Amino acid sequence: MILGFTSVYREGFEVVLFLQNTRMQVGSQVVVIGATIGLVLTMMVAVLTFFAHRKLPYKRMLVLTGVMLGAVLLVMVGEQVQEMQQAIGCHRRHSTCICLRGRGYGSPCSIICRVSPRS
C-alpha cells in the first residue's frame, strides 16, 4: 500500500512541476485550458470504459499498449544516442557521422559514430 501511495504521489509531484514550468513559459491561461481538456478527455474515457468493460477486447488492448510502449522506447533510445553524439562532438553529415574530437579506435566518438576518427 505504501508503494502504491508513493508511486501516485511521485507522479502527481511530477505533474505539478511540469505544469508550473509550463505556466512560467506560456502563462496560466494555456495551462488551465490544457488541464481542462485533459480532464474532460479522461472523464470521457472513464465513462466509456465503465459502460463497455464487458465488451472490451482486453488482449488486443494489452498488445497495442505493448507496441506503443515499444515505439516510445525506440524514440527515447534514438534521442539519447543523438544527445550522446552531440555531447562528444559527433555531427551528422549525410548518412555518416563525422567525429570532430577523439583519437584512436577506442575513443567514445569512434565507438558511437562507428567511423574511424580523423587524424
Side-chain angles (χ1 to χ4, degrees):
M1 185 162 149
I2 293 174
L3 179 63
F5 173 77
T6 55
S7 297
V8 170
Y9 181 79
R10 179 178 166 260
E11 290 299 322
F13 189 76
E14 287 178 4
V15 168
V16 168
L17 288 176
F18 172 75
L19 290 177
Q20 283 181 346
N21 184 31
T22 305
R23 183 181 64 86
M24 291 175 71
Q25 290 179 358
V26 295
S28 297
Q29 185 178 7
V30 174
V31 173
V32 170
I33 291 170
T36 303
I37 291 171
L39 287 172
V40 167
L41 291 174
T42 301
M43 291 303 294
M44 289 172 53
V45 169
V47 168
L48 288 172
T49 303
F50 180 75
F51 288 116
H53 74 277
R54 290 188 182 154
K55 297 178 183 178
L56 288 175
Y58 289 108
K59 185 175 181 179
R60 285 189 206 154
M61 289 171 54
L62 287 172
V63 169
L64 179 64
T65 303
V67 169
M68 289 190 302
L69 283 172
V72 169
L73 173 70
L74 287 174
V75 169
M76 290 175 68
V77 168
E79 288 177 354
Q80 284 299 347
V81 167
Q82 182 182 12
E83 289 292 325
M84 290 188 335
Q85 287 175 343
Q86 289 175 355
I88 61 175
C90 296
H91 299 282
R92 289 194 173 275
R93 182 176 293 172
H94 305 294
S95 63
T96 60
C97 189
I98 297 174
C99 296
L100 301 177
R101 288 192 285 165
R103 303 228 185 267
Y105 287 98
S107 71
C109 196
S110 64
I111 293 169
I112 292 175
C113 295
R114 296 180 187 218
V115 297
S116 60
R118 301 168 120 185
S119 42

